[in-house]
Amino acid sequence: MTTSSDVSSSGKASRRFDLRGAFLVSMLGITMTALLPILLFQVPASDIEHHLIPASKIKTSNLKVRTSKRKPRYFMVFSTSCSPFQNWQAIAFFHFAHMIKQPGNITRLVSGCKQDEADALRKLHKEKISLLSDRFHLHVTPDYKVGTGDQKYWNKPNGLLDYMENVLGFPGNAAEYNEDIIIIVDPDMMLLRPITHDFRSMHVSWEGELTHTAVTHGHPIAQAYAYGAGWLTSLNGNHSFVVGKDSPVNKLSVEDARKYYPAGPPYLATGKDMYNIAVHWVKFLPRLHVLFPHMMAEMHAYSMSAAHLNLPHRLSKEFMVSEVGGKEGFHFLDGISRGDACNASFPVKNLPLVLHYCQRYSLGRWFFNKYKLREDIFDCNAPLLRDPPLDVGTIYDWNIFPNGVDMHDYKNPSKHYQLVQNEW
């Protein structure tokens, strides 16, 4: 774990920030240190459960047509570039998938590789990742990025469509996979518990009035993200330019846009529904970007596609933990003292699905941010991260970022309220 510069801070954090921050900075630091053995030791494939489809049989010609009696199979995908920065995230992702015994096939969709880079990634995957499980795959796609900046995220929908058409065989082979479950996650997510299509045993609060607790045709499920109805309202009434004049989007209320469509990873839908979403996601994204040329255009285009297909999502804010001050799935810390946050045992049923480490995390001078890690963090020659003390949550009630200037100022009443509401 890295530490910031030796600068004092006057910002005082709330109990909720201390507790959540202690858990996150400790877990992220310890995790990245513990992952190094993945590249040093080979794990026999026989040690892993192989109760679903092995890699050798993922070719559509080797799969039987699904009958109504068979449980759905899971196909989890995450999209990355061909960069060292996302290579270590992919290694970490596969490690956690192995640790929590995520069922089904898991595929890294990698875009933008030169031939020698693709060859090197295939070698790395074969020698290291596939040893964890023969259900872990690598699929190299063309580079769908247009220009620079936020358009790099266009690889996600295009890579998904490429995978569904060239690996699973949609649309011609749709009957083989229509009722299976496609799960889309991000590379900077750590799986904390297995993700399946059935949420009946998971205690979470839901947004909106939908009642389904399992993913079936017409009933996708996803994490609720904070952009609300912005995917619709940001177009200032010009959404017909994106979806056409006859789209159901044109009749959608702002309230329903907020309740059922601000979805984000983890996304879950049947193969049939996800393929239809992917087709329109790819189609709508360039048009939407004309009107809304920002990073979030990619996620907004997913929402637009789902609404166009009349596929309202049941959403929950509690599938992940990411933003320390947000209303996310931190309920597993209820009743845990700050001193025990880094050393407590949590029942799996209480955990969120993922830890999404897309933010900056700091407590005292302890700090974690994915952009600050060395890209060769899992190389034998890279120094290990320092682990924070297990009682870090009681030692500090303030935080400061490494630049010594940009810090949380909890004297600001609005920020203080955000952190202490609900008596945290």
Side-chain angles (χ1 to χ4, degrees), residues 94-109:
F94 281 119
H95 170 79
F96 270 84
H98 163 57
M99 292 293 292
I100 58 96
K101 296 181 172 63
Q102 172 63 35
N105 289 275
I106 303 174
T107 301
R108 176 187 179 184
L109 310 177

Side-chain angles (χ1 to χ4, degrees), residues 110-299:
V110 59
S111 307
C113 293
K114 299 177 181 178
Q115 187 59 53
D116 59 333
E117 294 173 326
D119 292 342
L121 276 187
R122 291 188 179 100
K123 182 175 185 292
L124 172 67
H125 190 89
K126 179 179 180 180
E127 295 179 351
K128 305 298 180 182
I129 304 304
S130 63
L131 295 176
L132 292 174
S133 174
D134 61 0
R135 297 178 290 105
F136 294 173
H137 313 292
L138 178 73
H139 177 62
V140 179
T141 80
D143 189 1
Y144 295 103
K145 179 178 65 176
V146 179
T148 58
D150 60 83
Q151 289 166 301
K152 65 184 179 182
Y153 301 108
W154 293 23
N155 278 320
K156 182 188 290 186
N158 284 279
L160 172 67
L161 185 61
D162 185 276
Y163 166 78
M164 295 192 74
E165 292 185 342
N166 294 308
V167 176
L168 301 186
F170 280 84
N173 202 43
E176 302 275 2
Y177 299 96
N178 270 340
E179 297 180 60
D180 292 318
I181 305 300
I182 308 297
I183 306 170
I184 306 174
V185 288
D186 281 343
D188 58 350
M189 287 181 167
M190 294 180 182
L191 298 181
L192 302 181
R193 59 186 291 179
I195 302 178
T196 70
H197 74 296
D198 192 336
F199 293 85
R200 286 176 293 182
S201 63
M202 187 172 181
H203 302 291
V204 297
S205 60
W206 298 92
E207 306 292 304
E209 284 80 44
L210 297 178
T211 60
H212 63 274
T213 55
V215 177
T216 56
H217 292 317
H219 300 97
I221 289 177
Q223 166 75 21
Y225 277 66
Y227 59 89
W231 66 270
L232 183 69
T233 59
S234 62
L235 301 185
N236 299 314
N238 295 314
H239 35 272
S240 62
F241 171 77
V242 179
V243 297
K245 295 181 179 180
D246 298 325
S247 173
V249 174
N250 297 316
K251 299 180 181 179
L252 189 69
S253 70
V254 172
E255 181 63 13
D256 284 349
R258 181 190 64 79
K259 286 181 180 179
Y260 305 120
Y261 294 104
Y267 301 100
L268 296 93
T270 63
K272 174 184 176 181
D273 288 344
M274 191 62 83
Y275 179 68
N276 287 330
I277 289 174
V279 168
H280 289 85
W281 195 1
V282 168
K283 179 181 178 181
F284 291 162
L285 178 53
R287 301 178 189 174
L288 190 147
H289 192 264
V290 171
L291 301 176
F292 185 76
H294 305 288
M295 179 185 72
M296 292 297 292
E298 169 258 313
M299 294 185 71

Side-chain angles (χ1 to χ4, degrees), residues 255-420:
E255 181 63 13
D256 284 349
R258 181 190 64 79
K259 286 181 180 179
Y260 305 120
Y261 294 104
Y267 301 100
L268 296 93
T270 63
K272 174 184 176 181
D273 288 344
M274 191 62 83
Y275 179 68
N276 287 330
I277 289 174
V279 168
H280 289 85
W281 195 1
V282 168
K283 179 181 178 181
F284 291 162
L285 178 53
R287 301 178 189 174
L288 190 147
H289 192 264
V290 171
L291 301 176
F292 185 76
H294 305 288
M295 179 185 72
M296 292 297 292
E298 169 258 313
M299 294 185 71
H300 286 195
Y302 178 97
S303 300
M304 191 72 68
S305 303
H308 174 75
L309 295 167
N310 195 25
L311 289 172
H313 287 50
R314 195 171 195 200
L315 303 174
S316 175
K317 293 180 180 178
E318 299 175 4
F319 290 162
M320 73 179 185
V321 289
S322 177
E323 172 55 54
V324 174
K327 293 181 179 180
E328 297 176 345
F330 284 100
H331 298 302
F332 68 98
L333 290 173
D334 288 352
I336 303 297
S337 69
R338 292 193 331 213
D340 292 333
C342 302
N343 199 32
S345 297
F346 307 102
V348 173
K349 66 181 180 66
N350 293 345
L351 292 174
L353 299 177
V354 299
L355 190 169
H356 191 188
Y357 55 97
C358 57
Q359 310 287 340
R360 297 190 296 175
Y361 307 99
S362 66
L363 191 57
R365 295 184 180 89
W366 293 97
F367 174 79
F368 179 91
N369 179 263
K370 65 180 182 179
Y371 293 106
K372 296 296 184 180
L373 286 186
R374 293 170 55 124
E375 293 181 342
D376 63 348
I377 184 65
F378 294 142
D379 188 277
C380 296
N381 296 319
L384 299 178
L385 301 179
R386 289 182 60 192
D387 294 338
L390 293 179
D391 59 350
V392 65
T394 60
I395 297 175
Y396 303 102
D397 63 354
W398 53 270
N399 74 297
I400 186 170
F401 291 121
N403 58 18
V405 177
D406 185 5
M407 67 186 71
H408 286 297
D409 179 7
Y410 293 105
K411 292 182 179 180
N412 183 316
S414 63
K415 290 186 179 181
H416 184 70
Y417 171 74
Q418 291 172 6
L419 290 169
V420 301

